[in-house]
Amino acid sequence: ESIVAPNLLVAFIEFTSAIVLYVKDNNVRQVARMRFAILTCITEDPCANSIILDNNMSFIVNLRRVQMRHRRQNVTQSAYGSRPISHAIFDLITEFILAHTNRQMPFELMHFAMEILLRLLACQKRCRIRIEYPWKELWTALISMLKFFNINEAHFVKESKKNDFLGLCYAAIN
């Protein structure tokens, strides 16, 4: 039986999804940086990862999504119903990548997102946990980010003192 009562981690992820999508302002960018740093610390903890990756603990997480031409609504009520928290985190990272794959990319936040993703995937493999997640969206977002870097390589090489796009490419490939 799934748990539908909200918890603190669900509220944290929901608010993080609202913050990280609109990071044009420096103050909002700092808040988003703190939220990703906290989420990184949470995913470093084995006990927290066991809760995040547990298929038997399901929650409904309402994530914000960037308005795009092919979407009708800005807020998504989880179309899948209650799911493990790991699904919401993967959706959050996918949405963050899709929303910020542009020339003003927040590289530090993108590195945090890659670290969170890698930690959860490593924990899943290490603990031999198989989660049923639609991986196609996440892989598509990562591949389109790499294609964007390939197309705009000259711009990012010129700006390489301000960003670490090669490190980000390496993290995405990992």
Side-chain angles (χ1 to χ4, degrees):
E1 183 169 307
S2 64
I3 302 169
V4 292
N7 73 7
L8 190 57
L9 188 56
V10 170
F12 179 81
I13 293 170
E14 286 177 351
F15 185 65
T16 301
S17 75
I19 293 293
V20 300
L21 294 181
Y22 308 103
V23 294
K24 294 185 193 252
D25 182 22
N26 195 31
N27 292 336
V28 176
R29 189 176 293 231
Q30 291 304 317
V31 172
R33 182 182 179 282
M34 281 193 310
R35 307 225 26 113
F36 269 156
I38 291 169
L39 198 53
T40 301
C41 292
I42 290 171
T43 57
E44 286 175 350
D45 182 36
C47 181
N49 279 339
S50 66
I51 293 169
I52 290 171
L53 293 169
D54 188 0
N55 286 320
N56 296 321
M57 292 184 68
S58 298
F59 299 93
I60 295 175
V61 182
N62 297 316
L63 297 176
R64 290 256 175 208
R65 300 182 86 177
V66 172
Q67 188 173 4
M68 294 183 183
R69 290 181 182 165
H70 65 279
R71 291 189 189 156
R72 291 191 180 128
Q73 46 182 310
N74 195 16
V75 178
T76 177
Q77 303 295 329
S78 182
Y80 303 104
S82 60
R83 305 182 298 163
I85 295 176
S86 60
H87 291 211
I89 294 174
F90 290 143
D91 287 344
L92 174 71
I93 292 171
T94 302
E95 194 63 31
F96 181 73
I97 292 169
L98 291 175
H100 296 293
T101 303
N102 56 36
R103 288 188 174 207
Q104 293 80 33
M105 179 180 288
F107 281 91
E108 184 181 21
L109 297 178
M110 202 64 79
H111 278 289
F112 273 122
M114 292 297 120
E115 287 178 23
I116 293 165
L117 179 64
L118 286 173
R119 282 189 172 93
L120 285 177
L121 291 175
C123 181
Q124 178 188 356
K125 183 174 180 167
R126 185 176 53 252
C127 297
R128 295 184 177 151
I129 298 171
R130 175 96 173 140
I131 59 172
E132 298 299 322
Y133 180 76
W135 296 105
K136 182 182 177 189
E137 293 178 19
L138 179 62
W139 301 148
T140 302
L142 290 170
I143 289 169
S144 47
M145 182 178 69
L146 290 172
K147 285 181 182 178
F148 177 77
F149 282 144
N150 187 29
I151 292 169
N152 296 293
E153 180 182 6
H155 170 75
F156 289 118
V157 167
K158 204 182 319 178
E159 302 285 324
S160 64
K161 292 184 181 181
K162 295 180 184 175
N163 59 50
D164 181 22
F165 87 98
L166 291 176
L168 192 56
C169 290
Y170 181 72
I173 290 170
N174 274 341

